Structures are given as C-alpha cells and as structure tokens.
Amino acid sequence: MIGPKQIHEAIASKRLHFWYQPKVSFLSGLICGCEALIRWRTDDGKILPPSAFLPQVEKAGLMTAIAQHMFTELCNDIPRIIEAKPDIEVSFNLTAQDLEHPGMIAQIKDAVNNNVIQARNLQIELTETAIPKNQEDMLRGIQSLLDMGVQLAMDDFGTGYSSLDALHRLPFDVLKIDQSV
C-alpha cells in the first residue's frame, strides 16, 4: 500500500520522472508537441503508472506538492527538449487545486519571468472533471498564466457533465477530446 511516507520518499529520492508522449499533427505528420506524463520508478526498478499512485497522492493531500516537484523536473528537462525542437509545446497536467495554490502559480511565473521556460513552450492541461463550478482563486490563477502567454488545454473533453459550461466559463486554447467521444 502506498501511503504518505512512501510518497515523500519518492519525492526525496527522485523516483518520480516524466515520460514524454509526443503529439503528432494530423496535417503534417510531424511532432508538434509533447505531454509530460508522470511515472514512479520503484526501488526494485518497476515503473508505476499514475493510476497506481495518484489516487493515494490525492487522498494524502499531496497533489500540489507533487505538481511543484514535477514542475521543477519539467524545467530541468525543457532545455534538452527545446534544443531538439525549439517551437515545441510541452503539456503539463495540473489539478484545479494546483491552480488555486498561490505557490504553484508563483513557481510557474518565476520560471517564465526568469527565462527558465518560455510561456510559448508551456501548455497547462486541466481535466474537464476536475473543473469546479465556481472557484475564483483557480480562475485568477488561470488568468495570470494566460496573461503571461501560457496556453490552457481542457483534457478529456466529453467525460464530464459540464463540458459546454466549462468551455463557456474558462478561456481554453486547446480542447483534447476524450477517446470515448
């Protein structure tokens, strides 16, 4: 069973990593972006997918701690990604709670303002089911990122009940339609 202790140990021992999934343009067939997908390498070398540990992370109230740690990892990886493809957009998944957290927003702003990452190379993905009906703090966080030039993508569109309402309320740049649709 994965608990808070194991999660903290995974962060401290740098066992959480990104696997970058390419996004390919249907028009050109070329890579136009990538999505940073979190994986956990256990002590015995096994790779755990997010479904094996994120529910426990969420239950322990550590989602934003993981997001902040992984954003640092993303910033470390970005120079190599940009070297290979300067115009690439890298998607980074956040929760509504992450976007309400002033520390998470400040971390992203600092990275952009200090040229660690260019806003044009960053896209924040938010799943439709994670979008609350009325969260002013989240909306302010999103707007401050959009004002900097960071893009916002709705992930898994069509899986929730508020699809059109969420599209109306939030200024999404990208819509990722769920495969079930």
Side-chain angles (χ1 to χ4, degrees):
M1 176 81 177
I2 296 172
K5 180 181 177 193
Q6 290 82 12
I7 295 165
H8 285 292
E9 288 172 0
I11 293 171
S13 63
K14 300 188 182 273
R15 296 220 172 264
L16 300 174
H17 304 279
F18 281 129
W19 285 15
Y20 291 93
Q21 177 176 305
K23 294 180 182 180
V24 178
S25 167
F26 281 123
L27 299 175
S28 69
L30 300 174
I31 293 175
C32 58
C34 64
E35 183 173 358
L37 302 172
I38 191 171
R39 300 293 185 265
W40 181 339
R41 184 180 306 274
T42 62
D43 291 335
D44 62 1
K46 291 181 184 173
I47 304 296
L48 298 179
S51 59
F53 62 91
L54 285 184
Q56 291 87 344
V57 169
E58 188 171 12
K59 185 177 178 182
L62 296 170
M63 288 297 283
T64 301
I66 294 284
Q68 289 180 298
H69 171 75
M70 295 311 295
F71 187 74
T72 300
E73 293 299 312
L74 180 75
C75 288
N76 292 334
D77 291 348
I78 282 287
R80 290 181 301 224
I81 295 169
I82 299 299
E83 187 177 308
K85 185 156 177 53
D87 60 340
I88 199 165
E89 262 181 12
V90 181
S91 297
F92 181 66
N93 292 286
L94 290 177
T95 66
Q97 292 79 19
D98 297 333
L99 291 168
E100 292 171 356
H101 193 278
M104 183 79 244
I105 299 300
Q107 185 179 5
I108 295 170
K109 284 182 172 182
D110 286 347
V112 171
N113 290 336
N114 293 318
N115 293 315
V116 174
I117 188 171
Q118 299 297 311
R120 70 177 178 271
N121 296 117
L122 180 61
Q123 183 178 86
I124 300 298
E125 287 192 18
L126 186 63
T127 59
E128 176 191 353
T129 55
I131 300 170
K133 285 280 187 204
N134 186 16
Q135 290 291 331
E136 291 303 317
D137 289 339
M138 184 194 74
L139 294 173
R140 277 191 295 278
I142 287 172
Q143 192 58 55
S144 68
L145 295 176
L146 293 172
D147 291 345
M148 293 174 55
V150 173
Q151 285 198 5
L152 180 65
M154 179 188 283
D155 197 10
D156 299 333
F157 178 76
T159 59
Y161 299 105
S162 61
S163 303
L164 295 176
D165 179 54
L167 286 177
H168 176 71
R169 288 184 296 113
L170 297 172
F172 288 100
D173 298 294
V174 176
L175 187 67
K176 291 177 62 181
I177 298 172
D178 187 74
Q179 65 184 356
S180 66
V181 176

